[in-house]
Amino acid sequence: AAPGPPTPPARVGVCLARDLGDPPAATPRSLREAWALLATGRWRPVAGATDVLPERAAAAAPDGRGFLDLAGLSELRGVSIEEGELVVGAATTFAELRADPLVTEHAPVLAAMAAGVGGPQVRNRGTLGGNLATASPAGDSLPVLLALDARVEVGGPRGVRPIPAAAFFTGYRATALAPDELVLRVRVPISPGRVAAFRKVGLRRAQAIGVVILAAAWRTDPAGRWRDVRLAAGAVAPIPMRAPAAEALLEGAVPSPEAARAAAAALAAEIAPIDDVRATAAYRRLVAGRILHRLVREAGGW
């Protein structure tokens, strides 16, 4: 077959508000072109760019790179079902996650999480891939993806590779992404009979950064015992984290008051919160345990 027409070059422009120190921006028309620009080291990937203004307000020093605008790449958008997995494109916004019927049917906890992200403006711009790549320990989606055993599919000029969500976060705001890679999509296994729950505590009911974020997933066997328990927390450690000690206590347990108390104590002991402007470490430990206790209580119906 004859080769198709070449991809038009990326549009590179300069923001008009030069008095604000805005860097140049490039709009690639394909992933291949985005990877080529990324390889130069002169561009910083953004999609919704919801972190840009807060960074400016915090007087964060610019790193000299321009913005690589990925929001228009169709390869990074949309939700589908593939081989028993819910597949969410990295540039899918939280508003789209909240409203998508496939998400509502197969991973309603993702839709519930998305409904509480920021305000309408942030939900309409912020993306799942951006939340992952930013890797804030208080990122709303990250504990949910950990609890769902999601895989993060990343890619670059050397190919595409999956990374388990549990291995994606390598340090404070650091990920397993190579410098020339982008988050492409997230794959969530569809597991009939599996239940997932999400809780977020902030300083107000809306547009709040989480003080404690908790996500859990499990299935119940015929004897009423929890199996395949996953428990993940955010805003309580340098990275979004699984809680293996609390998971082990809930694995094979009936959701009883005793199990709830033991798991809550284990969770409070294994997280590593800090004191900051939103809460003290002691408050975060207390709240994390209380959230888990209530979650188990609600699941057990007592």
Side-chain angles (χ1 to χ4, degrees):
T7 302
R11 292 170 290 177
V12 179
V14 178
C15 298
L16 296 179
R18 297 306 299 167
D19 59 317
L20 295 178
D22 290 336
T27 308
R29 291 178 168 86
S30 69
L31 266 177
R32 186 184 299 274
E33 189 177 309
W35 286 327
L37 289 167
L38 192 62
T40 68
R42 294 164 33 209
W43 303 96
R44 170 190 174 184
V46 296
T50 54
D51 283 333
V52 173
L53 287 178
E55 287 174 359
R56 178 186 291 159
D63 62 9
R65 294 181 295 170
F67 293 126
L68 185 63
D69 182 7
L70 306 174
L73 293 182
S74 60
E75 299 110 307
L76 300 181
R77 301 192 72 89
V79 180
S80 62
I81 302 294
E82 296 178 10
E83 300 179 352
E85 294 180 317
L86 179 73
V87 182
V88 182
T92 302
T93 68
F94 288 108
E96 291 166 340
L97 267 181
R98 180 186 184 186
D100 190 277
L102 291 176
V103 175
T104 302
E105 179 181 359
H106 298 290
V109 68
L110 273 178
M113 173 277 301
V117 173
Q121 301 95 327
V122 171
R123 290 193 292 271
N124 284 329
R125 292 289 303 174
T127 65
L128 186 63
N131 211 223
L132 277 162
T134 300
S136 166
D140 287 9
S141 71
L142 312 187
V144 177
L145 296 176
L146 284 168
L148 293 177
D149 288 328
R151 291 182 298 143
V152 183
E153 202 165 89
V154 306
R158 292 168 286 114
V160 176
R161 64 188 179 105
I163 304 174
F168 186 75
F169 310 105
T170 59
Y172 177 70
R173 290 186 178 266
T175 73
L177 275 170
D180 61 350
E181 289 181 321
L182 298 169
V183 177
L184 304 181
R185 57 194 64 89
V186 175
R187 295 182 174 272
V188 178
I190 297 174
S191 303
R194 193 158 176 77
V195 178
F198 168 78
R199 300 288 187 273
K200 174 182 173 180
V201 172
L203 300 184
R204 55 193 180 205
R205 292 183 63 86
Q207 301 193 62
I209 298 174
V211 170
V212 176
I213 302 170
L214 197 69
W218 69 92
R219 64 179 178 84
T220 305
D221 69 15
R225 300 182 182 279
W226 279 14
R227 302 294 181 185
D228 301 326
V229 177
R230 300 289 184 271
L231 183 65
V236 294
I239 63 173
M241 58 170 284
R242 288 270 298 276
E247 287 178 353
L249 286 168
L250 291 171
E251 183 70 33
V254 173
S256 64
E258 294 77 17
R261 284 194 294 269
L267 175 65
E270 66 183 318
I271 60 178
I274 60 171
D275 297 335
D276 65 14
V277 295
R278 289 188 294 279
T280 64
Y283 178 79
R284 286 185 161 100
R285 289 188 192 278
L286 176 65
V287 169
R290 292 286 179 84
I291 294 173
L292 181 57
H293 191 281
R294 176 175 292 183
L295 190 154
V296 177
R297 184 173 74 232
E298 291 173 354
W302 47 272

